[in-house]
């Protein structure tokens, strides 16, 4: 087998390159987009940098700062592209010093105190431009910012993969043909894009918190990026309760990260988590953000504030048995009214099962079985299997967990579901 310097197999370097690129690609794309002013071209140049890394790193070794290497390589290619195109002559003159390959790349920022120097946030707001449909904005930003594959985004949307692929291609084309500026907008324009931006940050965090596919349950880099963006946005828009609500939700969810997996990376269910491993600093930050949200609220709470309040109920319970499930069920009811979705109803069913028992919860879940959006969603048969097991309907429960395992694309989740199948098979008796 080919070796890289130091004796590491070249195949191992290829894997490292792909892992690093997945983590760094959003930053690379964001920084290159400021030069070429086209997110589609920026993504292509980032891919070119990946190809260069796959060619060079197995031979020369992985650089000390691989993210900087990828960014510099993509920027150099972007600069070459700008130089070749006459229509970028004015842009070439504006960036001036940024075109020096040996000097730090820098572009002077507007002096407006409401501006923010964050390329990733610019990327989010650009991809969430109102010239795109809501679905296209979210799909494109998950692709660019979250580094998610088309199949992962389709999983998050619960729609077919070709649909997502078409949305992404059309979105990039639209941004290019409309000449959308790569910027964080001001005033009303910023507020008009806020809902899409919040949803994108939320979905990126969710993908990091519970990866839809792969061998690992968690993707911490996505959680970190989403959490940082939520914090930055909260400082940028201090009078928006939903911004603080999202920040609170992510702080509180992230506080459980260390307790959510075991020594081997296996999932640890909420009821089995060691709550002493929950990060109390993040919990305090979450409660502070939730307090800020309530302080600036002028109407009924929005979906992120409601979800943050649910997360706060969990954070307040020092033991699983102390959880106020009745309050959580009420909050999920409010959330279902405010932002109805089959997934919210499924979560409400779980809370109802803990507050009132499995029978009324099963009625809710049975009403979701025919939902097209949940047809391939592994958590629906998983929840239904758990309720049936609690009701003593073991054979039916096992069948549900088998279906859930067949649908799960994350290997860690699949292993957990297979373990439930084995457990139920070992104690199975005929259902009455």
């Amino acid at each position: 087998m080919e070796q890289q310097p130091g004796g590491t197999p070249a195949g191992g370097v290829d894997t490292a390159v792909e892992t690093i690129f997945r983590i760094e690609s959003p930053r690379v794309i964001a920084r290159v987009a400021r030069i070429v002013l086209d997110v589609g071209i920026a993504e292509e140049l980032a891919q070119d940098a990946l190809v260069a890394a796959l060619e060079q790193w197995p031979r020369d070794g992985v650089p000390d700062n691989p993210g900087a290497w990828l960014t510099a390589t993509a920027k150099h290619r972007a600069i070459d592209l700008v130089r070749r195109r006459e229509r970028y002559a004015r842009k070439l003159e504006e960036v001036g010093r940024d075109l020096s390959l040996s000097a730090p790349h820098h572009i002077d920022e507007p002096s407006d105190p409401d501006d923010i120097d964050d390329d990733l946030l610019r990327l989010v707001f650009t991809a969430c431009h109102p010239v795109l449909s809501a679905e296209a904005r979210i799909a494109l930003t998950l692709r660019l910012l979250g580094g998610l594959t088309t199949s992962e985004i389709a999983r998050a949307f619960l729609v077919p993969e070709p649909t997502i692929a078409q949305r992404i291609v059309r979105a990039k084309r639209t941004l290019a043909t409309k000449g959308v500026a790569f910027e964080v907008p001001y005033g009303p324009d910023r507020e008009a894009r806020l809902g899409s931006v919040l949803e994108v940050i939320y979905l990126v965090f969710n993908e990091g918190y519970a990866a839809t596919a792969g061998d690992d349950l968690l993707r911490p880099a996505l959680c970190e990026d989403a959490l940082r963006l939520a914090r930055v946005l909260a400082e940028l828009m201090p009078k928006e309760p939903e911004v603080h609500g999202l920040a609170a939700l992510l702080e509180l969810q992230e506080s459980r990260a260390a307790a959510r997996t075991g020594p081997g990376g296996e999932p640890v269910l909420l009821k089995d988590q060691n709550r002493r491993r929950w990060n109390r600093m993040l919990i305090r930050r979450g409660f502070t953000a939730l307090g800020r949200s309530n302080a600036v609220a002028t109407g009924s709470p929005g979906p992120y504030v409601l979800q943050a309040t649910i997360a706060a109920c969990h954070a307040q319970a020092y033991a699983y048995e102390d959880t106020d499930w009745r309050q959580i069920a009420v909050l999920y009811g409010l959330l279902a009214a405010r932002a109805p979705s089959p997934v919210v109803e499924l979560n409400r069913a779980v809370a109802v099962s803990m507050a009132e028992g499995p029978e009324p919860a099963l009625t809710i879940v049975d009403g979701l079985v025919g939902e097209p959006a949940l047809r391939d969603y592994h958590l629906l048969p998983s929840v239904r299997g758990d309720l049936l097991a609690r009701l003593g309907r073991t054979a039916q429960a096992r069948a549900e967990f088998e279906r859930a395992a067949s649908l799960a694309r994350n290997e860690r989740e699949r292993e957990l579901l297979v373990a439930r199948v084995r457990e139920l098979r070992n104690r199975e008796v005929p259902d009455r």
Side-chain angles (χ1 to χ4, degrees):
M1 180 180 292
E2 181 184 352
Q3 302 280 317
Q4 69 136 352
T8 302
V13 176
D14 289 350
T15 301
V17 173
E18 292 169 3
T19 300
I20 292 167
F21 182 78
R22 184 155 185 148
I23 294 171
E24 297 292 340
S25 63
R27 297 176 183 86
V28 177
I29 294 168
R31 288 162 188 164
V32 173
R34 297 187 69 186
I35 298 174
V36 298
L37 303 179
D38 185 313
V39 294
I41 293 175
E43 186 182 17
E44 292 174 6
L45 293 171
Q47 290 289 338
D48 288 345
L50 170 63
V51 173
L54 288 169
E55 292 173 350
Q56 296 181 38
W57 292 5
R59 181 186 68 233
D60 302 333
V62 178
D64 292 337
N65 190 335
W69 190 99
L70 289 167
T71 300
T73 300
K75 276 190 171 184
H76 295 171
R77 293 168 186 259
I79 289 164
D80 289 341
L81 179 63
V82 170
R83 284 174 170 162
R84 288 197 303 267
R85 296 183 176 183
E86 289 186 1
R87 69 173 180 268
Y88 283 115
R90 182 173 296 178
K91 175 62 181 176
L92 191 62
E93 184 177 332
E94 289 175 358
V95 299
R97 287 167 294 182
D98 193 46
L99 299 181
S100 171
L101 302 184
S102 59
H105 297 286
H106 175 73
I107 299 176
D108 291 336
E109 299 302 319
S111 58
D112 193 305
D114 201 27
D115 190 48
I116 184 165
D117 182 13
D118 191 302
D119 284 339
L120 284 178
L121 202 58
R122 285 188 180 90
L123 182 60
V124 176
F125 271 96
T126 300
C128 289
H129 197 280
V131 298
L132 303 177
S133 68
E135 294 83 2
R137 296 174 208 168
I138 296 168
L140 178 62
T141 313
L142 286 173
R143 171 71 175 172
L144 299 178
L145 177 74
L148 274 64
T149 65
T150 304
S151 62
E152 288 170 342
I153 300 170
R155 186 73 169 178
F157 273 107
L158 303 176
V159 297
E161 187 173 335
T163 301
I164 294 298
Q166 291 175 3
R167 287 178 187 173
I168 293 172
V169 169
R170 290 171 182 167
K172 288 189 287 189
R173 185 185 302 126
T174 299
L175 290 177
T177 56
K178 297 291 185 180
V180 172
F182 185 69
E183 63 181 5
V184 176
Y186 300 98
D189 288 341
R190 180 181 297 172
E191 294 174 4
R193 298 189 215 177
L194 181 59
S196 290
V197 170
L198 294 179
E199 187 170 6
V200 164
I201 294 173
Y202 174 71
L203 289 174
V204 169
F205 181 88
N206 276 354
E207 179 59 29
Y209 191 74
T212 56
D215 296 332
D216 298 318
L217 179 69
L218 310 179
R219 294 175 60 187
L222 290 184
C223 290
E224 290 169 7
D225 272 343
L227 186 52
R228 183 180 62 80
L229 288 172
R231 290 169 178 168
V232 167
L233 203 58
E235 295 299 321
L236 184 67
M237 308 183 75
K239 296 182 180 179
E240 292 288 341
E242 278 289 83
V243 172
H244 293 298
L246 178 63
L249 173 62
L250 302 196
E251 300 278 10
L252 292 168
Q253 294 289 80
E254 181 64 11
S255 71
R256 308 178 202 161
R260 292 186 62 238
T261 54
E266 67 278 6
V268 178
L269 298 176
L270 180 62
K271 65 183 179 64
D272 300 321
Q273 289 175 16
N274 180 356
R275 300 194 174 207
R276 288 175 294 182
R277 299 190 66 198
W278 287 9
N279 189 316
R280 291 292 153 185
M281 182 192 72
L282 292 179
I283 290 174
R284 286 193 295 272
R285 291 181 66 103
F287 277 105
T288 298
L290 192 55
R292 288 174 180 164
S293 174
N294 293 331
V296 298
T298 57
S300 58
Y304 296 114
V305 173
L306 287 169
Q307 290 180 78
T309 306
I310 291 168
C313 289
H314 289 293
Q316 286 175 324
Y318 285 96
Y320 183 76
E321 295 73 21
D322 298 331
T323 306
D324 189 348
W325 288 107
R326 291 191 178 277
Q327 177 63 15
I328 291 174
V330 169
L331 289 167
Y332 268 120
L334 294 173
L335 181 60
R338 184 73 169 78
S341 83
V343 174
V344 170
E345 273 298 288
L346 186 61
N347 286 327
R348 185 173 76 87
V350 173
V352 167
S353 77
M354 300 304 298
E356 303 175 22
E359 193 71 52
L362 184 60
T363 301
I364 298 173
V365 172
D366 285 346
L368 297 172
V369 170
E371 283 286 344
L374 299 182
R375 183 180 56 190
D376 297 323
Y377 190 49
H378 70 284
L379 292 182
L380 176 60
S382 176
V383 169
R384 192 167 188 275
D386 184 69
L387 297 176
L388 290 168
R390 289 167 60 185
L391 289 167
R393 296 159 63 178
T394 308
Q396 291 178 344
R398 178 178 55 78
E400 290 293 323
F401 280 114
E402 287 174 345
R403 172 169 165 73
S406 72
L407 293 174
R409 298 179 62 191
N410 181 279
E411 185 60 25
R412 295 297 188 177
E413 286 189 306
R414 193 186 72 81
E415 289 172 356
L416 184 66
L417 293 166
V418 169
R420 288 300 305 272
V421 171
R422 287 196 299 266
E423 173 197 339
L424 290 168
R425 184 180 291 121
N426 290 338
R427 62 184 175 91
E428 189 172 312
V429 294
D431 291 339
R432 294 180 179 178

